[in-house]
Amino acid sequence: MRSILRTDPIARDVAALCMAAAIVGLSFGAIASAAGVPLAQIVAMNALVYAGGAQFLAVGLAGAGATAAAIVLAGLLLNARHLPFGLAIGNEVLGRRRFLGSHLMTDESVAFALAQDDPARRRRAYWLTGISLYLTWNVCAAVGAIAGSALGDPDTFGIDAAFPAALLALTLSSLKDAASVRVAVGGAALALIATPLLPAGLPVLAALFALFLARSK
């Protein structure tokens, strides 16, 4: 195993990525369990939905009393970026296994695939990343849920603060240019302003209007 990691840069990068995903998966499982989501539902969400950021968002909105429609809409909007992802890798990388491949699609699997020059290496990078992250996320989130169920009231341990902290951590890693910073700051401001005025779940959707700031100079 060590020899493979030393000689194969793709496998080495995927292994490092899985270590980070394991921490996030454990956090999600613990947060969801402490928020009152049953273990069976957490496991089903991990296996069938498999959308880390959207899953954090769904748990947070549900805990805030948002309607199911608002949760679904927020998740769809958050993952709308997968449409251009699919167009970018569909034929060359996924081929006839598009149904399975689309379920394993993440920012990381697409990025790793597009970073390769050779078509064969693109396919290998995509499937290795996708399968590894899927297994890591499902196993670690389940372990986190089991551990989190033993903690009791999340307010006692401050776990309720872990949800916004986790989303903030996911957001900070993508703030690499001025446009992204404008959108993030603008969205946060809109959500804060709308919170006392709109029902639970809608302030997050209102924050999407900050996307118009992406093109402003």
Side-chain angles (χ1 to χ4, degrees), residues 103-124:
H103 188 56
L104 299 176
M105 184 181 296
T106 63
D107 298 346
E108 296 82 5
S109 60
V110 173
F112 273 41
L114 295 180
Q116 311 303 318
D117 297 327
D118 179 66
R121 287 178 61 84
R122 283 191 171 186
R123 288 190 292 271
R124 180 174 178 275

Side-chain angles (χ1 to χ4, degrees), residues 44-146:
M45 181 185 292
N46 293 331
L48 301 178
V49 177
Y50 183 52
Q55 290 181 234
F56 275 106
L57 182 62
V59 171
L61 292 178
T67 63
I71 294 174
V72 172
L73 180 58
L76 291 175
L77 291 174
L78 183 61
N79 288 298
R81 66 190 186 282
H82 285 75
L83 292 175
F85 285 175
L87 293 174
I89 66 171
N91 292 326
E92 182 181 36
V93 177
L94 301 184
R96 297 181 179 179
R97 294 176 288 185
R98 294 182 183 179
F99 183 80
L100 175 60
S102 62
H103 188 56
L104 299 176
M105 184 181 296
T106 63
D107 298 346
E108 296 82 5
S109 60
V110 173
F112 273 41
L114 295 180
Q116 311 303 318
D117 297 327
D118 179 66
R121 287 178 61 84
R122 283 191 171 186
R123 288 190 292 271
R124 180 174 178 275
Y126 182 87
W127 289 102
L128 180 60
T129 306
I131 293 173
S132 299
L133 286 179
Y134 182 80
L135 294 176
T136 300
W137 176 263
N138 277 268
V139 172
C140 291
V143 172
I146 294 172

